[in-house]
Amino acid sequence: MHVISEKTIVGFAGIGVMGKSMAGHIMDKGYEVHVYNRTPAKAQELVERGAVWHDSPGNLAQVCNVIITMLGYPKDVEEVYTGEDGLIAHAKKGAYLIDMTTSSPLLARRLAELGSEKGLHILDAPVSGGDVGAKKAALSIMVGGESSAFEDLKPLLEVMGSNIVLQGGPGAGQNTKMCNQIAIASNMVGVTEAIVYAEKAGLDPKNVLKSIETGAAGSFSLSNLVPRMLDGDFEPGFYIKHFIKDMGIALQSAEEMKLELPGLQLAESLYRKLADRGYEDKGTQALYKLWQEEA
């Protein structure tokens, strides 16, 4: 039996590029939503729509049945969950906490253990689909945690995503997201090189895109990010600094498994080069800049 009902009070911590849309969809379904964000101004639009503001994760936790977090880095997740004024210390017994940040699988397992000791259900549920998927409520959600808690929360997850899969126990969602990021990393290098090649060959890259995006080369990045690239739109659907963070987690996890990933290593080095040039707050499609500036 699902525990989610119209009486469920939902907390949302982390109102960024994606979190704002995700929390907005939950409000659209009539849930009472409470919000916390390190930068209050980013939550202002939701507050004006009726969300209840809290000035700390702990205060948020005291009034919510379900709390969703969408943060930046593993260190942010650790602080928000385990700090003195954090979620675990102040959440109601039996509450459900869902971390949708792309974070460390090892940290996800530790948080699940800490939560269990306090009578809390903590799931890791990172997402894929970027700002477009968040706006359309069409995110792919990869979940790790107890199967019973997953079933309880599925109606709420379906408000934000259209492809929701329980991958296994605690940490399995984060490991699945690492697979996603590994695939994207090499693909972003490939689609960028394809467009640069088209330009050097004297072709119209937008015309080339029409031919190759529906064939075997087709991908989300090719269809959604290359048009932005060609229009000179490098604003973030997903920040380069966060992608570098994700690739770092994947490389560290691969090292622990004694697994070599040369494609990921190359992509990470190129994005670090881009960040060093001042593009860390741009979207991942700004990889094109490396070739554009050297032309």
Side-chain angles (χ1 to χ4, degrees):
M1 181 177 176
H2 295 305
V3 298
I4 301 300
S5 72
E6 66 277 0
K7 294 182 180 179
T8 301
I9 299 174
V10 181
F12 207 108
I15 312 299
V17 171
M18 296 174 67
K20 181 180 170 183
S21 293
M22 294 160 71
H25 292 312
I26 296 169
M27 292 181 70
D28 289 341
K29 291 294 183 181
Y31 292 101
E32 181 180 327
V33 174
H34 293 238
V35 295
Y36 163 76
N37 196 63
R38 191 164 50 189
T39 307
K42 291 184 179 179
Q44 187 59 36
E45 186 177 322
L46 293 176
V47 172
E48 288 173 358
R49 286 181 54 191
V52 181
W53 168 258
H54 292 271
D55 60 6
S56 73
N59 287 343
L60 179 82
Q62 290 172 21
V63 297
C64 298
N65 313 105
V66 178
I67 303 160
I68 298 168
T69 53
M70 189 67 173
L71 307 167
Y73 297 86
K75 62 181 173 57
D76 301 319
V77 174
E78 188 164 23
E79 180 183 345
V80 166
Y81 276 80
T82 68
E84 187 176 330
D85 199 17
L87 299 176
I88 291 175
H90 295 277
K92 299 176 179 182
K93 188 173 182 180
Y96 295 78
L97 282 65
I98 315 168
D99 183 32
M100 304 187 82
T101 316
T102 297
S103 183
S104 158
L106 189 63
L107 177 58
R109 291 193 288 271
R110 184 161 72 87
L111 293 180
E113 289 173 8
L114 291 173
S116 182
E117 291 168 6
K118 293 271 191 168
L120 306 171
H121 309 280
I122 300 183
L123 290 83
D124 49 293
V127 303
S128 180
D131 60 333
V132 175
K135 287 173 183 173
K136 293 181 177 179
L139 293 167
S140 176
I141 305 177
M142 312 154 214
V143 188
E146 309 163 351
S147 59
S148 58
F150 170 74
E151 289 300 328
D152 289 340
L153 293 167
K154 203 169 181 184
L156 189 59
L157 295 174
E158 287 171 344
V159 173
M160 299 174 283
S162 59
N163 179 24
I164 303 157
V165 181
L166 178 65
Q167 293 290 344
Q174 296 296 354
N175 272 324
T176 303
K177 182 60 188 287
M178 290 303 104
C179 296
N180 185 83
Q181 301 306 75
I182 290 165
I184 288 173
S186 293
N187 184 236
M188 280 302 299
V189 176
V191 299
T192 304
E193 288 185 339
I195 295 307
V196 170
Y197 180 96
E199 290 174 335
K200 283 288 186 182
L203 300 171
D204 177 348
K206 291 187 177 181
N207 223 29
V208 170
L209 186 60
K210 290 177 186 177
S211 289
I212 69 174
E213 69 177 335
T214 58
S219 69
F220 177 92
S221 298
L222 194 64
S223 296
N224 292 277
L225 297 181
V226 169
R228 296 189 196 187
M229 195 185 285
L230 295 175
D231 288 341
D233 176 6
F234 301 112
E235 291 310 299
F238 188 62
Y239 286 107
I240 283 171
K241 62 186 177 185
H242 290 164
F243 196 33
I244 291 172
K245 174 261 296 184
D246 294 353
M247 289 186 285
I249 294 170
L251 286 168
Q252 183 178 5
S253 297
E255 187 177 343
E256 290 166 3
M257 294 185 282
K258 295 181 170 51
L259 177 65
E260 190 173 346
L261 301 173
L264 180 62
Q265 290 171 338
L266 172 62
E268 196 255 3
S269 69
L270 292 173
Y271 273 103
R272 284 199 177 277
K273 186 176 179 182
L274 198 58
D276 289 343
R277 295 188 183 185
Y279 293 109
E280 64 174 12
D281 288 321
K282 296 299 182 183
T284 52
Q285 70 274 20
L287 186 61
Y288 177 63
K289 285 278 189 182
L290 282 183
W291 283 270
Q292 192 180 45
E293 291 182 353
E294 291 172 5

